[in-house]
Amino acid sequence: MDVRVRSGGWSVGLDIGGSKVLGVALDPSGVVRHQVKAGTVRGLDGVVAGAVAAVEQLAGRAGVAVGDLVGVGLGLPGVVDVAAGTVEHAVNLGIDESVALAALVADRLGSVPVRLENDLNAAVVGAARFVEPHADGAQHDLAFLALGTGMAAGLLLDGRLRRGSQGAAGEIGHLTFVPDGLPCKCGQVGCLEQYASGSALDAAWPSRTGAPAPAEVFAAAAAGDPRAVELRDQFAAAVAAAVRVLVLTCDVRHVVVGGGVSAVGAPLLDAVRAVLDAAAGTSPFLASMRLAARVTLAPEGVPVGAVGAALVGRGEHDA
Ligand SMILES: [Zn+2]
């Protein structure tokens, strides 16, 4: 597979999720110039065809030939072997066994380097673009905490992706939050993601208006609905627990909260910070860690996963 690092041209990144494909084209200076969105077609053939179509569309909008792209990056919800260009256990894409996805897409595109990355790793690379550079010149140091179907984090430590020895770094959604709590599909009970994910709120709060459950829960809580207040507070406590784990293990400077639930916006951030501030009020140690100040929301309307995938596609995070 041709993965020479090229420079000085356009790159494309795709965030291939279980329901949709989000794509961006970055100009040679790394600025997002074009975006596309399409439905995901599950199964290997559908994923390859969808990726090829999105890349061709973005290259067309950028006015460059696909063969002139410096690289293409694909963020995938599965276990990725970056060096081999393979992905497996991408259950939400209908891909189970290990497949050489990078080569399959590259063959269809011609001579463009194609790189794969786990979707959360791509997201943390993308999120890093939107946090302030550190005044002391230090490399980016942050976690991207995704609150979506499940809960998990991507880690960028001292500017480098922490993928883990088995590609499983950041799987904090399966830490126990409530002993003897709700059963989890992982086989344990009381996992964090049973309390702090979009799915958790969907399960606990049947939508009354057709709006997403997280938005409804936070709105109803603000209006004083006791059940919504209880759910919101439990949700915020679980997210705060995740933030605490990330900061106390890695001392990341920022925890950027993203995923579908982050669309709730300021009320979510306020609720999480309130839990962290309350804990700091009784613990000088936690107060010294300044947890609440480290939490931010992912930028609204920016597909950080696709942006990160494009940066990966340019070879910026080669293993
Ligand atoms: Zn679990």
Side-chain angles (χ1 to χ4, degrees):
M1 187 177 44
D2 177 7
V3 288
R4 284 171 296 147
V5 175
R6 305 178 183 184
S7 59
W10 288 75
S11 57
V12 163
L14 306 180
D15 180 12
I16 304 180
S19 60
K20 59 187 183 297
V21 178
L22 298 175
V24 299
L26 302 190
D27 72 12
S29 61
V31 176
V32 178
R33 294 294 182 192
H34 304 283
Q35 298 190 30
V36 296
K37 183 176 174 180
T40 300
V41 178
R42 289 165 52 99
L44 181 58
D45 292 347
V47 168
V48 171
V52 169
V55 172
E56 288 174 341
Q57 198 179 352
L58 284 160
R61 289 200 193 167
V64 297
V66 169
D68 288 336
L69 295 170
V70 291
V72 169
L74 309 180
L76 301 153
V79 178
V80 171
D81 183 328
V82 172
T86 60
V87 61
E88 61 185 323
H89 303 309
V91 182
N92 292 336
L93 300 182
I95 295 174
D96 202 17
E97 308 266 292
S98 176
V99 292
L101 187 64
L104 289 170
V105 173
D107 284 349
R108 292 274 301 274
L109 289 175
S111 62
V112 182
V114 175
R115 293 172 174 82
L116 309 186
E117 188 52 84
N118 168 267
D119 58 350
L120 290 175
N121 291 344
V124 75
V125 167
R129 288 290 300 271
F130 300 96
V131 300
E132 290 291 310
H134 303 313
D136 57 9
Q139 292 290 321
H140 278 302
D141 198 66
L142 68 158
F144 181 87
L145 177 62
L147 307 176
T149 309
M151 173 210 266
L155 297 164
L156 190 67
L157 306 177
D158 288 334
R160 289 175 57 87
L161 279 172
R162 173 58 192 175
R163 298 181 173 96
S165 61
Q166 297 186 44
E171 288 286 359
I172 60 171
H174 300 288
L175 288 170
T176 303
F177 179 58
V178 178
D180 305 320
L182 296 168
C184 182
K185 65 183 186 315
C186 77
Q188 305 183 95
V189 297
C191 292
L192 267 176
E193 78 169 32
Q194 296 303 317
Y195 301 88
S197 62
S199 310
L201 289 181
D202 287 341
W205 182 271
S207 177
R208 295 168 183 174
T209 65
E216 265 196 24
V217 168
F218 277 79
D225 180 303
R227 172 65 179 146
V229 168
E230 182 190 355
L231 274 176
R232 177 198 62 192
D233 291 351
Q234 185 181 58
F235 188 90
V239 176
V243 171
R244 201 158 52 234
V245 166
L246 290 166
V247 174
L248 297 190
T249 32
C250 300
D251 195 12
V252 283
R253 294 196 189 207
H254 307 279
V255 178
V256 180
V257 177
V261 181
S262 68
V264 167
L268 169 64
L269 187 59
D270 292 346
V272 173
R273 284 180 170 164
V275 175
L276 295 169
D277 280 336
T282 58
S283 163
F285 166 69
L286 288 179
S288 76
M289 299 300 284
R290 300 174 49 257
L291 291 161
R294 303 194 199 205
V295 186
T296 58
L297 291 175
E300 216 181 321
V302 179
V304 288
V307 173
L311 296 171
V312 165
R314 303 205 305 189
E316 294 192 8
H317 288 274
D318 283 356

